Amino acid sequence: MKYLKYLLAGTFFGIVLVKAQVISWFRIQEMFQLTSFHMYGVIGTAVITGIISLQIIKRFKIKSFNGEPIKVAPKSFDKGQIFGGLIFGIGWAITGACPGPLFAQIGSGFTVVIVTLFFAILGTWVYGLFSDKLPH
Amino acid sequence: MQHLLNIIQRPWHWSISGFLIGLTVPLLLLLGNKAFGISSSLRHICAACLPANISFFKYDWKKEAWNLFFVAGIIIGGFIAANYLQDGSDITVAAPTKERLANYGIRDYSLLLPHEIFEWSNIFTWKGRFFFMIGGFLVGFGTRYAGGCTSGHSIMGLSNLQWPSLVATCCFMAGGFLSANIIIPYVFKLFS
């Protein structure tokens, strides 16, 4: 079962999301009300860890476990990052969750977040419907 | 062993949490050359369930199935952490935020989310429409329009020193500040 490793990686990540409390609506309000350093500390440490890891992988040309050279596609700029970014940010503060935490909130027992997830899927679908008419 | 479990059950310092979240980036690259990103799973669900002949959803989503297993894992991990890895203490929230939330009628800090909002009984009230339906829609629409979310842009993109991801992250934050300080207080004032 070639996908089992991703299920386990997701399980690890889900545990960390809950223990980091980044799935907490309270923590998100604190972050955007600038009353606590917690979220900035978590995201900042995660980014620094990611930067160092990628530098090590690139410098030592580390291969993936199945022997492929590791490649990371660059991101290209379009206006969606501005308009979409603002729209997502508004939703992030309302729901207290970005997409990863939505799944973790459901798992940790807040089953009503299934409704939020359904509407997030609907939002993605509506974006797909109008994507070529939106400014990019 | 019991001692280790006790340590895990206590709230974690932000540096430990951040380090472990950051490690997910090399973990997925090593496991199978996969770029960390979660909002794509929402697109794959659309492509799998209701492509409706929309060109944005016409691609071989099965090639990206790993992403769906990853998010299924997140649900399992959330369940394990919430049921077995918590010590039952209240979440510590900054006093000025608690004061503002009290004005919204939110006073219970026993769980990670306030049950004054996140209850099934709220789904047909203004709270349900605002916090679940409108909020969820904005998250799904916005992340896809931005080409990624906190994981894809703010963690994976910034880790790879991509400036478009920095633009996206700044806009996520700007939207969040606007929402938490203007929109949410206004909506509470309007309805309660």
Side-chain angles (χ1 to χ4, degrees):
Chain A
M1 161 85 179
K2 62 177 178 172
Y3 292 118
L4 182 66
K5 57 188 180 184
Y6 299 112
L7 189 77
L8 293 175
T11 305
F12 161 79
F13 186 64
I15 291 174
V16 176
L17 285 180
V18 173
K19 290 302 299 181
Q21 301 187 337
V22 298
I23 71 157
S24 170
W25 187 86
F26 296 117
R27 289 288 186 203
I28 305 301
Q29 303 310 309
E30 277 184 338
M31 166 171 64
F32 291 128
Q33 293 176 10
L34 291 173
T35 55
S36 164
F37 180 73
H38 183 90
M39 287 295 297
Y40 296 97
V42 172
I43 297 175
T45 316
V47 172
I48 291 167
T49 308
I51 291 175
I52 296 172
S53 311
L54 280 184
Q55 289 301 322
I56 293 174
I57 286 174
K58 281 179 190 167
R59 199 138 315 167
F60 296 99
K61 299 196 170 58
I62 293 173
K63 291 189 169 136
S64 68
F65 293 147
N66 51 4
E68 287 173 37
I70 287 176
K71 277 189 300 241
V72 185
K75 307 260 183 199
S76 50
F77 177 76
D78 75 65
K79 289 183 210 122
Q81 280 135 19
I82 297 173
F83 302 127
L86 288 169
I87 293 168
F88 162 53
I90 293 170
W92 186 10
I94 294 173
T95 60
C98 27
L102 279 182
F103 293 99
Q105 287 178 345
I106 293 169
S108 56
F110 293 94
T111 51
V112 72
V113 177
I114 291 170
V115 178
T116 316
L117 178 63
F118 176 82
F119 276 84
I121 295 167
L122 180 71
T124 302
W125 191 84
V126 171
Y127 168 76
L129 186 63
F130 295 112
S131 63
D132 41 8
K133 294 184 186 72
L134 293 164
H136 275 283
Chain B
M1 196 63 203
Q2 186 60 41
H3 182 65
L4 180 68
L5 189 64
N6 287 343
I7 293 175
I8 294 173
Q9 283 174 334
R10 269 181 238 144
W12 293 0
H13 190 263
W14 52 259
S15 60
I16 307 284
S17 308
F19 176 69
L20 293 174
I21 290 175
L23 278 190
T24 312
V25 169
L27 177 69
L28 288 174
L29 288 170
L30 291 171
L31 282 180
N33 227 344
K34 305 298 185 202
F36 180 46
I38 293 170
S39 61
S40 324
S41 65
L42 305 176
R43 182 182 180 185
H44 305 326
I45 293 170
C46 291
C49 301
L50 194 64
N53 223 13
I54 298 167
S55 60
F56 189 70
F57 299 122
K58 276 197 264 180
Y59 61 94
D60 188 6
W61 62 271
K62 285 183 190 136
K63 277 195 176 143
E64 306 295 328
W66 75 272
N67 198 267
L68 298 173
F69 282 87
F70 186 73
V71 298
I74 296 177
I75 299 178
I76 298 169
F79 178 84
I80 294 172
N83 288 287
Y84 306 108
L85 303 176
Q86 302 275 49
D87 64 3
S89 57
D90 275 16
I91 177 167
T92 322
V93 175
T97 290
K98 275 186 155 174
E99 220 168 279
R100 284 176 69 173
L101 297 186
N103 295 332
Y104 306 161
I106 294 168
R107 290 181 183 84
D108 186 346
Y109 291 86
S110 57
L111 298 170
L112 286 171
L113 280 71
H115 77 78
E116 292 92 340
I117 296 172
F118 293 89
E119 285 285 351
W120 279 102
S121 55
N122 279 334
I123 60 167
F124 296 114
T125 68
W126 70 268
K127 282 182 181 170
R129 280 191 288 275
F130 180 62
F131 288 101
F132 311 148
M133 299 176 188
I134 296 174
F137 187 92
L138 296 176
V139 167
F141 185 92
T143 51
R144 201 68 272 125
Y145 194 0
C149 59
T150 335
S151 54
H153 275 309
S154 308
I155 297 181
M156 187 68 206
L158 291 186
S159 294
N160 197 28
L161 309 174
Q162 298 294 306
W163 70 268
S165 292
L166 184 62
V167 174
T169 302
C170 292
C171 293
F172 298 165
M173 296 305 294
F177 285 125
L178 173 77
S179 184
N181 295 292
I182 313 271
I183 300 173
I184 295 175
Y186 179 76
V187 169
F188 266 105
K189 219 165 146 187
L190 205 61
F191 291 104
S192 52

